[in-house]
Amino acid sequence: MSISRRQFIKSTIATSLMSQLPVQLWADDSSPHYDYILTAEPAEINLIAEATTAAWGFNGQFPAPVLYAQQDQPIRIKFINKLNEPTTIHWHGLRIPIAMDGVPFLSQPPIPPGGSFIYEFTPPDAGTFWYHPHMNSTEQLGRGLVGAFIVRERQAQAFAEDITCVLKNWHIDQQGQIKRLSIPRYAARMGTPGRWPTVNGLHQPTFDVPAGEWVRLRLLNVDNTLTYRLHIPNAQAYILAIDGCPLATPRPLTEHPMGPGMRLDLGFIAPSKGTSWEVWHGEHYPLLSLHSTVSSQVSKTPLPSTLSEGQHSVPSLPMNPIPEPDLENAEKVNFIFEWAGALTPTAQQKKGKHTFWTINKRAWEGMSKDSIPAPLVTLERGKSYIFTLKNITQYHHPIHLHGHSFTVLTSDKRKIIPYQTDTVLLGKNESAQIAFVADNPGRWMFHCHVIDHMKTGLMGYVTVT
Ligand code: C2O
Ligand code: CU
Ligand code: CU
């Protein structure tokens, strides 16, 4: 594994604010060798001044350790469950074998309290991914079990700075106490929002950037509910990658909606010394500031580029080896996402388990060891598919497929330049077409990443034979 402890620390302390955080890498010197040892455990953390929050954290910390892997290199992670309830870890966006996908019952038995599991895989794609449990997601993600997973490109990219920002809006009150993470009347609408916006656990932090140098800014929406509308007023920034998938041609950032689970890699030349930029969420509030300081870089390798913009050319990231779907011969499958709040209450609902959403008229039944519901559809391995995704609700839904990256082809609401992703954000009443090669055998979850929605029906899976 070529990602060394030194590199990990270097990138962790790359910004002045991050340097105040404890740097902890769980290196295990005894054999067998693990690149990381990761725990999930209760953690007292400081989100607001003068108060602590009873959170759950990877390695007992928030933000969680940023895990680094190298494209095409195996990584081995020993995970230990120190919670009082079962869990699993899912590696969001990684095209890895089903046995490592971390979905309870479907791909592995739940890891009991005190139990452990070794996750071992080789990421085929470079980019910005993340990891989170796939059990009791409302609580486990809501309380802080969310972390960045960075896969470095085969060839090192020559950015002077590479900053990772994990965005989460905590459900806490003024005393730092965690409030209700899910409220049915919100679950039936946009999802239950938090009220304390944080970036790497800090409220509106400032990151130093080296004046005049190219910076890569990785933004990850690990929130249960919120869609961030990202823009940087008065700045010229470029979208390099969406959800871990590079754009063949980077394009200028205007406003970019990033739903739960989604990521955005931006590239920009840091402004002149002393200048500050702010990354905003719509017109609501600034999420973070970027402050230009004098560059400490002596020299840098020139960046590869695909397009010229004024004086400078914009760096592009190498494309990932995602198979091209055969659109001519692709088989078409339709999915309708619908609101079910008006249906007569089911027996489950009477027990306090609500159903508000359906996929093709069916709400996710839930799983256990002895009952795994039928797939939404069975796909033939190696074949190309075009899914038509039709949102006939008044709310938006970030629809995510495990184990594959797909191409977004069209939308009836906006102009699409086809791009690859693992999550497509459907606006209200929007229909989109996505295409992919079903090349990864297994049972792959297909769900909305608004946790309140997935927990109240908007979930299912597809089988690839
Ligand atoms: Cu972030 Cu089912 O995934
Ligand atoms: Cu996923
Ligand atoms: Cu949804």
Side-chain angles (χ1 to χ4, degrees):
M1 176 89 217
S2 56
I3 295 303
S4 65
R5 183 188 171 85
R6 190 178 46 78
Q7 259 178 299
F8 173 77
I9 291 171
K10 187 171 159 275
S11 43
T12 306
I13 60 171
T15 64
S16 56
L17 274 157
M18 288 292 285
S19 66
Q20 291 155 22
L21 297 166
V23 173
Q24 207 177 10
L25 179 72
W26 290 59
D28 189 347
D29 295 328
S30 62
S31 60
H33 166 78
Y34 300 110
D35 297 299
Y36 292 99
I37 294 183
L38 194 68
T39 67
E41 57 188 283
E44 290 282 317
I45 61 169
N46 274 97
L47 294 169
I48 55 173
E50 323 275 329
T52 58
T53 296
W56 293 348
F58 284 115
N59 293 358
Q61 58 187 76
F62 195 89
V66 179
L67 304 186
Y68 292 91
Q70 188 78 36
Q71 186 174 19
D72 293 332
Q73 300 289 316
I75 179 169
R76 178 188 271 205
I77 300 155
K78 179 170 184 175
F79 171 71
I80 305 161
N81 180 11
K82 295 188 178 176
L83 302 173
N84 287 323
E85 58 181 59
T87 191
T88 55
I89 308 300
H90 169 61
W91 313 92
H92 181 124
L94 295 182
R95 298 186 301 129
I96 55 179
I98 186 66
M100 295 294 127
D101 195 48
V103 175
F105 311 111
L106 209 56
S107 66
Q108 70 172 101
I111 305 159
S116 64
F117 188 86
I118 293 159
Y119 289 99
E120 194 173 12
F121 48 82
T122 301
D125 304 319
T128 305
F129 304 96
W130 66 296
Y131 63 105
H132 61 80
H134 222 284
M135 270 195 99
N136 189 14
S137 301
T138 307
E139 292 279 327
Q140 294 193 11
L141 277 68
R143 289 180 176 272
L145 294 170
V146 288
F149 191 99
I150 307 292
V151 184
R152 298 208 189 273
E153 291 78 12
R154 252 177 249 114
Q155 276 104 31
Q157 301 297 300
F159 292 91
E161 197 66 85
D162 187 334
I163 303 172
T164 297
C165 289
V166 167
L167 275 48
K168 179 171 167 61
N169 199 20
W170 286 81
H171 296 67
I172 54 171
D173 63 16
Q174 265 112 339
Q175 282 72 48
Q177 298 305 301
I178 294 185
K179 307 300 290 173
R180 284 176 72 189
L181 294 160
S182 178
I183 296 168
R185 75 172 181 282
Y186 289 115
R189 297 179 173 84
M190 80 296 268
T192 310
R195 51 166 298 281
W196 184 245
T198 62
V199 175
N200 298 343
L202 303 165
H203 183 63
Q204 298 179 337
T206 297
F207 297 87
D208 284 348
V209 288
E213 306 278 358
W214 275 103
V215 174
R216 180 175 186 173
L217 177 63
R218 304 170 190 257
L219 300 164
L220 297 90
N221 184 354
V222 301
D223 195 64
N224 280 17
T225 307
L226 212 72
T227 292
Y228 294 95
R229 304 203 164 266
L230 301 165
H231 63 112
I232 312 181
N234 308 317
Q236 187 153 48
Y238 296 86
I239 298 178
L240 304 179
I242 294 175
D243 303 328
C245 302
L247 299 184
T249 306
R251 49 177 188 257
L253 171 71
T254 49
E255 190 179 273
H256 182 83
M258 183 172 69
M262 300 169 78
R263 291 88 63 208
L264 190 68
D265 281 46
L266 298 176
F268 56 84
I269 293 181
S272 54
K273 184 173 165 253
T275 311
S276 284
W277 286 349
E278 285 176 335
V279 179
W280 275 72
H281 165 35
E283 301 307 313
H284 303 289
Y285 46 80
L287 294 160
L288 61 101
S289 303
L290 300 160
H291 180 73
S292 259
T293 59
V294 82
S295 170
S296 56
Q297 294 273 312
V298 192
S299 67
K300 61 180 167 67
T301 353
L303 289 154
S305 64
T306 52
L307 82 117
S308 287
E309 177 72 28
Q311 318 292 79
H312 60 264
S313 47
V314 180
S316 62
L317 299 168
M319 298 300 282
N320 284 323
I322 297 160
E324 275 292 328
D326 172 2
L327 299 179
E328 302 280 283
N329 300 303
E331 190 176 318
K332 296 202 165 113
V333 187
N334 295 321
F335 293 91
I336 297 177
F337 305 101
E338 201 167 353
W339 193 69
L343 299 180
T344 37
T346 61
Q348 280 199 321
Q349 225 159 323
K350 287 184 201 124
K351 278 188 267 154
K353 207 179 163 299
H354 297 271
T355 296
F356 296 127
W357 311 93
T358 59
I359 303 178
N360 291 348
K361 301 272 182 210
R362 177 178 154 198
W364 178 241
E365 298 87 348
M367 283 183 289
S368 65
K369 186 158 83 46
D370 308 306
S371 93
I372 300 210
L376 292 163
V377 62
T378 297
L379 311 178
E380 200 182 304
R381 195 195 320 181
K383 250 182 93 160
S384 293
Y385 289 88
I386 296 176
F387 283 7
T388 299
L389 310 178
K390 201 164 180 205
N391 174 16
I392 57 170
T393 79
Q394 294 302 305
Y395 299 95
H396 60 254
H397 303 284
I399 303 296
H400 171 51
L401 175 64
H402 286 208
H404 297 78
S405 297
F406 52 83
T407 303
V408 181
L409 299 173
T410 63
S411 156
D412 65 347
K413 290 273 189 278
R414 54 210 161 97
K415 183 172 176 292
I416 300 284
I417 305 167
Y419 66 97
Q420 297 165 324
T421 179
D422 55 53
T423 308
V424 60
L425 183 63
L426 299 178
K428 70 172 193 178
N429 292 315
E430 180 176 357
S431 291
Q433 280 188 311
I434 64 169
F436 66 103
V437 181
D439 64 343
N440 200 355
R443 296 184 290 188
W444 302 104
M445 297 307 293
F446 184 52
H447 63 88
C448 177
H449 223 292
V450 170
I451 305 300
D452 264 350
H453 292 177
M454 72 179 257
K455 297 305 282 185
T456 57
L458 238 181
M459 179 145 79
Y461 71 93
V462 305
T463 294
V464 178
T465 58

